[in-house]
């Protein structure tokens, strides 16, 4: 049974792609769906070995000789769910529902980031009536894990100098720049020993989380850092043996929950007292950003057979406690723009090592390098190794833009509003595409969405429909 009205192409396509698993690294099924769409509609297309798909469509009557324009969005989604949700992102369709005019998914991320872009492009490509210049529609993979798909594109497959990016913005808002970044993994080896103490589980939650680009300046609590702060305060008084750690799901999502299994030779009553004192301090500090922060502590009925020894556990706890995290610097020119940050998005124990996954963001190369060096120095002292990967460039602001001027006209005509420009701290594929095609003139757009990268993600349906009309009006002017 359909949740959305399939008489409207954008709603039909959004629901169709929501039924196809398409988390990062698992986009092949959706990529093949796009190929079948191209074949059905007799469109020229290319599908590369990563799963990126490019479709080409000739301009409509009277627009055949107009300069081509690229429409672009990514087909992967962040797969995050609530702890009590049993959804399998590799096999299950998303459970869509509508509440008070908002489209949501039960217990999981919605994938509006960037499903709305895919839906818009398919609706335009299918249409026999929408007026447009020649189109190059680019569907990329692995955006959410490092912009890998866009990095695999070739300039010769993109014969354009104009672009409409659909992975940022919101009604009247259009982006004018984006941050560069890198992914960093810190690995701390742990020494396994036979356990002789009781086993406990510490869980922290109640945090808002959010996108580490768009929300890092709000200085929301990081579940990984907070859980290890609590553990550090306990470890000062009592030796701890780590057993397992599960914190966060994505490097670019501020972690909302962290669960640590550990052993300790003291009473749960004493531990609870120490943790409650720390909780009180944290709740005061996060009164306005994360007022629902809380922890739970329980003794497990099944004692762990093994744990990691006191010394390596102590070093691992100190490492996470001391590693830099969060908002670091803002622009002195563009109001409200974060220029340097890093997010400890994921913690996990794997193959007898604690692994810490960071997303570092800055359009300033030296700032990225300095944060990486800070992490490396600290890690070396505490016996950990560092691997840097997935560097990607930023998109620098350009004062003059014909595309932006046209979009400004359309916003005024269609929405009776003034266009608002946004300088983004998020890493966008626009930076990579601008690097491929230096003369590329870019504008971005999209509907009103909230809660990206969290199970609270939602998209306003009226805005989704309205901004498709804006897209059509923009294409008509090109």
């Amino acid at each position: 049974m359909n949740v959305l009205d399939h008489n409207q192409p954008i709603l039909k396509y959004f629901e169709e792609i929501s039924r196809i698993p398409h988390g990062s690294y698992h986009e092949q099924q959706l990529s093949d769906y796009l190929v079948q769409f191209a074949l059905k509609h007799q469109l020229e297309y290319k599908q590369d070995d990563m799963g990126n798909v490019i479709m080409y469509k000739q301009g409509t009557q009277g627009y055949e000789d107009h300069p081509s324009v690229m429409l672009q969005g990514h087909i992967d989604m962040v797969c995050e769910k609530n702890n009590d949700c049993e959804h399998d992102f590799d096999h299950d369709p998303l459970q869509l529902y509508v509440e008070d005019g908002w489209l949501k998914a039960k217990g999981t991320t919605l994938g509006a980031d960037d499903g709305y872009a895919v839906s818009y492009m398919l609706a335009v490509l299918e249409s026999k009536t929408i007026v447009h210049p020649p189109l190059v529609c680019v569907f990329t993979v692995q955006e959410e894990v490092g912009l890998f798909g866009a990095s695999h594109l070739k300039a010769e497959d993109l014969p354009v100098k104009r672009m409409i990016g659909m992975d940022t913005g919101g009604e009247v808002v259009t982006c004018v720049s984006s941050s560069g970044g890198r992914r960093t993994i810190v690995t701390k080896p742990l020494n396994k020993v036979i356990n002789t103490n009781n086993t406990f589980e510490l869980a922290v939650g109640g945090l808002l989380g959010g996108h580490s680009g768009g929300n890092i300046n709000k200085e929301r609590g990081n579940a990984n850092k907070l859980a290890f702060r609590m553990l550090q305060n306990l470890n000062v008084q009592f030796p701890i043996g780590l057993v397992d750690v599960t914190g966060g799901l994505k490097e670019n999502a501020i972690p909302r929950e962290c669960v640590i299994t550990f052993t300790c030779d003291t009473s749960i009553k004493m531990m609870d007292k120490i943790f409650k004192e720390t909780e009180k301090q944290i709740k005061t500090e996060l009164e306005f950003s994360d007022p629902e922060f809380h922890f739970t502590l329980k003794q497990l009925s099944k004692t762990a057979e093994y744990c990691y020894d006191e010394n390596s556990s102590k070093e691992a706890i100190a490492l996470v406690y001391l590693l830099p995290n969060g908002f670091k610097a803002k622009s002195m020119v563009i109001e409200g723009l974060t220029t340097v940050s890093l997010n400890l998005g994921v913690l996990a124990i794997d193959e007898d090592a604690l692994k810490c996954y960071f997303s570092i963001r800055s359009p300033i190369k030296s700032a990225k390098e300095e944060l990486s060096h800070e992490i490396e120095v600290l890690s070396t002292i505490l016996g950990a190794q560092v691997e840097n990967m997935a560097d990607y460039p930023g998109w620098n602001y350009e004062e003059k833009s014909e595309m932006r001027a046209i979009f400004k006209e359309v916003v005024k005509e269609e929405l009776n509003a003034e266009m608002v420009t946004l300088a983004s701290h998020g890493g966008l594929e626009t930076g990579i595409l601008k690097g491929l095609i230096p003369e590329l003139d870019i504008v971005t757009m999209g509907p009103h969405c909230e809660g990206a990268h969290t199970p609270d993600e939602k998209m306003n349906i009226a805005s989704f429909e309205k901004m498709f009309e804006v897209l059509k009006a923009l294409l008509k002017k090109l």
Side-chain angles (χ1 to χ4, degrees):
M1 181 177 176
N2 298 330
V3 174
L4 302 175
D5 179 7
H6 282 215
N7 291 317
Q8 296 191 60
I10 59 171
L11 296 177
K12 176 186 73 172
Y13 285 121
F14 192 94
E15 186 153 14
E16 284 190 6
I17 65 176
S18 296
R19 292 169 176 163
I20 303 171
H22 57 283
S24 302
Y25 300 118
H26 300 278
E27 308 98 331
Q28 191 61 50
Q29 191 176 346
L30 182 51
S31 177
D32 292 341
Y33 165 92
L34 294 174
V35 169
Q36 291 304 310
F37 174 95
L39 292 171
K40 177 181 177 180
H41 294 280
Q42 299 181 321
L43 297 169
E44 181 185 352
Y45 75 92
K46 293 183 178 181
Q47 181 186 40
D48 66 22
D49 56 356
M50 285 191 70
N52 294 314
V53 175
I54 305 173
M55 297 187 207
Y56 305 88
K57 185 181 181 184
Q58 296 179 352
T60 53
Q61 185 175 1
Y63 284 71
E64 299 94 337
D65 297 328
H66 286 214
S68 299
V69 64
M70 182 198 309
L71 304 184
Q72 191 272 329
H74 61 87
I75 68 174
D76 62 319
M77 65 174 284
V78 169
C79 296
E80 187 165 349
K81 62 182 180 179
N82 293 321
N83 274 349
D84 60 354
C85 179
E86 297 182 356
H87 183 88
D88 181 351
F89 282 106
D90 291 340
H91 301 97
D92 299 340
L94 299 175
Q95 300 297 308
L96 302 184
Y97 70 101
V98 178
E99 183 177 69
D100 298 328
W102 293 86
L103 182 62
K104 305 178 181 180
K106 294 180 180 177
T108 70
T109 39
L110 172 65
D113 177 12
D114 196 18
Y116 77 79
V118 179
S119 304
Y120 281 173
M121 286 190 280
L122 294 180
V124 172
L125 289 166
E126 173 193 74
S127 175
K128 304 293 185 183
T129 60
I130 296 173
V131 176
H132 58 76
L135 299 177
V136 178
C137 291
V138 181
F139 304 82
T140 51
V141 298
Q142 297 178 28
E143 187 273 347
E144 298 290 6
V145 289
L147 313 180
F148 296 137
S151 299
H152 199 63
L153 296 173
K154 296 178 175 61
E156 56 263 33
D157 294 330
L158 306 171
V160 296
K161 294 184 180 180
R162 305 188 296 177
M163 174 182 169
I164 302 173
M166 294 183 288
D167 187 27
T168 191
E171 299 202 349
V172 303
V173 178
T174 189
C175 195
V176 296
S177 71
S178 63
S179 182
R182 110 178 348 159
R183 302 299 167 102
T184 295
I185 304 174
V186 177
T187 302
K188 166 61 181 173
L190 300 169
N191 301 317
K192 183 177 285 186
V193 295
I194 296 173
N195 175 45
T196 58
N197 294 320
N198 291 327
T199 307
F200 303 90
E201 180 184 276
L202 169 68
V204 303
L207 299 161
L208 291 177
H211 192 290
S212 67
N215 294 304
I216 202 78
N217 63 333
K218 298 176 182 177
E219 303 194 55
R220 293 174 177 173
N222 180 304
N224 294 334
K225 290 288 290 182
L226 295 174
F228 271 77
R229 173 178 169 179
M230 298 181 77
L231 215 57
Q232 172 69 18
N233 287 348
L234 177 64
N235 202 200
V236 169
Q237 300 184 46
F238 302 101
I240 289 173
L242 291 174
V243 176
D244 196 17
V245 177
T246 303
L249 294 175
K250 300 292 178 182
E251 296 100 317
N252 58 2
I254 302 170
R256 302 160 63 242
E257 298 168 336
C258 181
V259 179
I260 306 172
T261 309
F262 64 98
T263 65
C264 189
D265 184 21
T266 191
S267 69
I268 191 170
K269 183 177 180 180
M270 177 60 71
M271 285 189 288
D272 189 60
K273 179 182 178 182
I274 293 171
F275 288 155
K276 281 182 177 177
E277 289 174 354
T278 307
E279 180 193 43
K280 182 179 179 181
Q281 296 168 357
I282 293 171
K283 287 181 75 69
T284 299
E285 296 164 13
L286 302 182
E287 179 182 2
F288 302 106
S289 63
D290 292 278
E292 301 302 317
F293 169 78
H294 63 266
F295 83 92
T296 58
L297 175 67
K298 62 183 178 182
Q299 182 172 338
L300 302 183
S301 57
K302 184 178 180 180
T303 301
E305 183 178 357
Y306 297 96
C307 66
Y308 296 103
D309 72 356
E310 176 184 335
N311 186 61
S312 63
S313 293
K314 183 177 182 179
E315 288 184 343
I317 294 167
L319 176 69
V320 178
Y321 177 68
L322 292 172
L323 279 168
N325 177 76
F327 171 85
K328 292 297 177 183
K330 66 179 181 179
S331 171
M332 302 304 291
V333 178
I334 302 175
E335 185 176 355
L337 175 63
T338 303
T339 56
V340 186
S341 76
L342 73 168
N343 179 58
L344 178 51
V346 178
L347 287 179
I349 289 181
D350 182 34
E351 297 182 345
D352 295 332
L354 176 65
K355 296 192 174 182
C356 314
Y357 297 83
F358 280 94
S359 173
I360 299 175
R361 298 179 188 270
S362 180
I364 308 166
K365 183 178 180 181
S366 61
K368 279 195 304 183
E369 298 296 340
E370 183 61 24
L371 275 179
S372 295
H373 184 59
E374 185 178 342
I375 290 171
E376 288 168 4
V377 171
L378 175 62
S379 298
T380 299
I381 293 171
L382 292 170
Q385 296 84 45
V386 178
E387 179 184 7
N388 294 317
M389 56 193 299
D391 269 297
Y392 55 90
W395 163 32
N396 291 325
Y397 172 74
E398 294 180 348
E399 185 176 358
K400 293 183 179 180
S401 165
E402 182 182 357
M403 286 291 288
R404 198 160 65 238
I406 296 172
F407 185 64
K408 182 177 182 179
E409 291 178 8
V410 172
V411 168
K412 186 66 176 178
E413 294 168 2
E414 297 294 318
L415 304 179
N416 192 29
E418 295 297 325
M419 181 188 74
V420 176
T421 58
L422 169 70
S424 173
H425 186 54
L428 300 176
E429 291 166 307
T430 46
I432 291 173
L433 291 164
K434 182 72 172 177
L436 276 179
I437 311 169
E439 63 271 33
L440 197 62
D441 188 2
I442 304 171
V443 70
T444 72
M445 61 167 292
H448 183 40
C449 302
E450 296 180 5
H453 297 192
T454 78
D456 298 323
E457 182 183 8
K458 59 184 180 180
M459 178 171 65
N460 186 275
I461 295 177
S463 180
F464 183 40
E465 296 170 343
K466 177 171 58 178
M467 290 309 293
F468 186 58
E469 297 302 313
V470 171
L471 174 61
K472 291 192 292 184
L474 177 58
L475 291 172
K476 190 173 182 179
K477 280 185 177 285
L478 297 180

